[in-house]
Amino acid sequence: TAQDFWLLLVTKVTYIKNMQEKTCPRCGAKFICRHDDDITKCQCASVQLTPEARQYISENYTDCICVNCLREILNNKLWQSF
């Protein structure tokens, strides 16, 4: 029905609006951030950071960084050389 169509359209527009294309401040890669929509569905939710990694990131970056950089920071323990 027309009502179902408009409801679906509004839902999709809201979903897309809540996703943000960002540029990683660390490597320059473009990625989709869902921090404002549903953080559990964001790419970063797949990386389990240690408290040390979280502190390193918060002290060095003011915005989201891409999942590849999150993994690199975690796997290489970059906070130890900080």
Side-chain angles (χ1 to χ4, degrees):
T1 68
Q3 185 178 7
D4 291 338
F5 169 77
W6 286 111
L7 180 59
L8 179 62
L9 183 61
V10 168
T11 302
K12 284 187 176 188
V13 168
T14 303
Y15 174 78
I16 291 168
K17 182 181 170 188
N18 287 333
M19 294 189 316
Q20 300 176 41
E21 182 177 75
K22 293 192 174 192
T23 301
C24 179
R26 185 169 183 268
C27 72
K30 301 265 188 219
F31 65 97
I32 299 296
C33 176
R34 296 195 56 194
H35 182 262
D36 294 332
D37 175 31
D38 183 352
I39 192 69
T40 63
K41 294 179 182 174
C42 194
Q43 61 161 350
C44 65
S46 67
V47 181
Q48 297 297 313
L49 296 171
T50 63
E52 296 86 2
R54 285 182 187 275
Q55 181 177 352
Y56 171 83
I57 292 166
S58 69
E59 290 175 357
N60 289 280
Y61 303 99
T62 58
D63 202 358
C64 299
I65 60 177
C66 73
V67 71
N68 292 332
C69 285
L70 289 174
R71 288 185 182 128
E72 186 175 327
I73 289 168
L74 182 63
N75 293 337
N76 294 321
K77 297 181 181 177
L78 295 182
W79 61 89
Q80 291 180 344
S81 62
F82 179 63

